[in-house]
C-alpha cells in the first residue's frame, strides 16, 4: 500500500506546515495567514460539540473548518517527511491557545478563522460574506448573521433585523403606500 499524509484521503483533516494549507480529501480548503518556522508551537483542537477543528500557531488561531459526521471516530495523527525531526506532543495542557466554549467557537468563521463577534471578516471568503455578526443589504437594512446556517452551508446566511419601533420618517413613507 502507498503512504498518504493526513489530509490526503477522506475522513482526514490536516494543516500542512510546509505550505500552510489545510487539506481534506487532498483538496486545499484554507491557507494559514503566515509561514511556519522551526520552533513554532502548532496546536489542533477538535470540537465535537459543533463538529469543527481549528489550528493555532504559537497560540494564535490560524485556520479552522467544519468537519463531517465521522468526527467522534477521529484520532490525532502527525505526518513527518524529515528524517531526524524532533517534536514534542502535549495532550494534557496547559495549552498555548485557550480552549474556547462552544458558544464562542460559533462566532468564528470555520473557513478563514475570522472572529465575527470582533467585527473581523475576509471580503473574499464566501462564509464571511462581507460582514461580521452584522451587515447591511443594498437598501441599508441591518442584517444579522444566521450563524447555524452559515456554518452548515459554508456561505454567509443573513436574516433581517426587525425593530419594534419604526422611525417616524419610515412610518410616514410606509403610510403613503398603505
Amino acid at each position: 500500500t502507498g503512504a498518504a499524509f493526513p489530509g490526503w484521503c477522506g475522513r482526514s483533516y490536516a494543516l500542512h506546515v510546509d505550505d500552510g494549507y489545510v487539506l481534506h480529501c487532498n483538496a486545499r480548503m484554507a491557507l494559514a495567514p503566515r509561514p511556519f518556522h522551526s520552533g513554532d508551537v502548532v496546536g489542533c483542537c477538535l470540537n465535537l460539540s459543533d463538529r469543527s477543528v481549528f489550528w493555532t500557531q504559537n497560540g494564535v488561531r490560524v485556520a479552522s473548518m467544519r468537519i463531517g459526521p465521522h468526527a467522534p471516530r477521529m484520532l490525532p495523527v502527525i505526518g513527518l517527511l524529515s528524517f531526524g525531526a524532533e517534536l514534542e506532543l502535549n495532550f494534557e495542557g496547559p495549552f498555548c491557545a485557550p480552549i474556547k466554549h462552544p458558544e464562542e467557537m460559533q462566532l468564528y468563521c470555520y473557513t478563514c478563522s475570522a472572529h465575527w463577534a470582533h467585527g473581523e471578516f475576509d471580503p473574499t471568503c464566501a462564509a464571511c460574506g462581507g460582514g461580521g455578526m452584522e451587515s447591511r443589504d443594498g437598501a441599508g437594512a441591518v442584517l444579522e448573521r444566521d450563524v447555524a446556517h452559515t456554518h452548515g452551508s459554508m456561505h454567509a446566511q443573513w436574516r433581517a433585523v426587525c425593530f419594534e419601533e419604526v422611525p417616524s420618517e419610515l412610518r410616514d413613507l410606509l403610510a403613503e403606500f398603505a
Side-chain angles (χ1 to χ4, degrees):
T1 63
F5 279 99
W8 284 5
C9 53
R11 294 191 178 187
S12 71
Y13 302 83
L15 170 66
H16 285 223
V17 297
D18 60 335
D19 59 10
Y21 280 100
V22 171
L23 281 87
H24 172 58
C25 294
N26 206 23
R28 291 177 171 176
M29 306 300 286
L31 177 63
R34 56 182 171 229
F36 290 84
H37 303 285
S38 178
D40 281 349
V41 176
V42 178
C44 179
C45 178
L46 176 63
N47 186 337
L48 297 178
S49 65
D50 68 0
R51 294 196 347 241
S52 68
V53 61
F54 72 87
W55 293 269
T56 62
Q57 177 185 16
N58 300 321
V60 177
R61 186 185 176 109
V62 293
S64 60
M65 68 185 323
R66 188 115 160 124
I67 56 179
H70 51 273
R73 297 184 300 270
M74 294 181 78
L75 300 171
V77 176
I78 297 173
L80 295 172
L81 189 58
S82 302
F83 292 105
E86 294 182 18
L87 58 114
E88 181 180 324
L89 304 176
N90 176 4
F91 293 103
E92 297 179 6
F95 302 111
C96 286
I99 305 300
K100 295 174 177 30
H101 295 286
E103 299 82 28
E104 189 175 345
M105 288 297 299
Q106 294 286 333
L107 305 179
Y108 279 95
C109 177
Y110 292 158
T111 305
C112 74
S113 300
H115 193 306
W116 295 324
H118 292 163
E120 297 173 7
F121 65 91
D122 180 344
T124 65
C125 175
C128 281
M133 289 302 289
E134 286 187 355
S135 188
R136 294 197 179 261
D137 68 8
V142 175
L143 304 174
E144 179 180 84
R145 179 175 298 281
D146 185 331
V147 175
H149 286 104
T150 295
H151 286 316
S153 68
M154 301 304 282
H155 286 84
Q157 303 292 321
W158 303 96
R159 59 179 165 248
V161 176
C162 297
F163 297 99
E164 286 186 29
E165 199 171 307
V166 177
S168 60
E169 306 85 34
L170 182 57
R171 189 174 39 244
D172 294 343
L173 182 62
L174 292 172
E176 292 179 27
F177 293 101

